[in-house]
Amino acid sequence: MRLPLRTDELGIEAWRSVLLAYNAALRAIEAELDRAGTVPLTWYDVLLELQAAEAPGLRMRDLADRVVLSRTRVSRLVDEMAAAGLVRKETDGQDRRVVWAVLTDEGRTAFRKTVPVYLGGIEKHFAAHLTDDEKQVTAAALLKVAHAHRPGACDPAKEET
């Protein structure tokens, strides 16, 4: 029989559980995308952000801020995706230091092909293992942590002093 965890152990156990679930579900989803012959998940992340952009594309700096899976490799990812014809890089007409990533027609097609596989993978490898109540609690708890780390958010450590 497992003894109840102390408060500090609960936080560590929760963190470990998030990492284990994330890793397991992500690997399973990536394997499904590979079997379906779609773009890799890191590319899908970039395509998703470009598809959601209001402008015809995103500045590379803004794209790096928005992607979730590979923030440090965005420039290399976009280069690889440009070579595959899914995006193109354009220099800003007013500020030559600014480079835009723009979704191509081929990129839109790849995105549309990947969406159902990705969403099905989320359902199969994550959501199907949780009750509706657990989904609500998980979403609320994890968003609470995410919002606490947004720029300008209050630092709980500073509030305690």
Side-chain angles (χ1 to χ4, degrees), residues 38-61:
T38 67
V39 296
L41 193 52
T42 51
W43 287 22
Y44 175 80
D45 191 19
V46 171
L47 294 175
L48 176 66
E49 294 304 332
L50 292 175
Q51 179 75 21
E54 292 179 18
L58 287 170
R59 293 181 301 174
M60 290 293 292
R61 182 181 70 219

Side-chain angles (χ1 to χ4, degrees), residues 84-142:
L86 303 178
V87 299
R88 67 180 180 276
K89 291 170 89 172
E90 295 180 359
T91 303
D92 190 278
Q94 296 178 345
D95 185 347
R96 310 249 340 128
R97 298 170 295 174
V98 175
V99 176
W100 290 76
V102 178
L103 194 59
T104 64
D105 289 340
E106 293 86 357
R108 279 184 196 77
T109 300
F111 176 77
R112 285 192 297 269
K113 179 182 177 188
T114 306
V115 168
V117 180
Y118 179 61
L119 294 179
I122 292 170
E123 177 58 35
K124 179 179 178 182
H125 300 293
F126 180 74
H129 301 284
L130 303 172
T131 66
D132 286 347
D133 287 343
E134 289 169 332
K135 291 172 195 172
Q136 288 178 341
V137 168
T138 301
L142 295 177

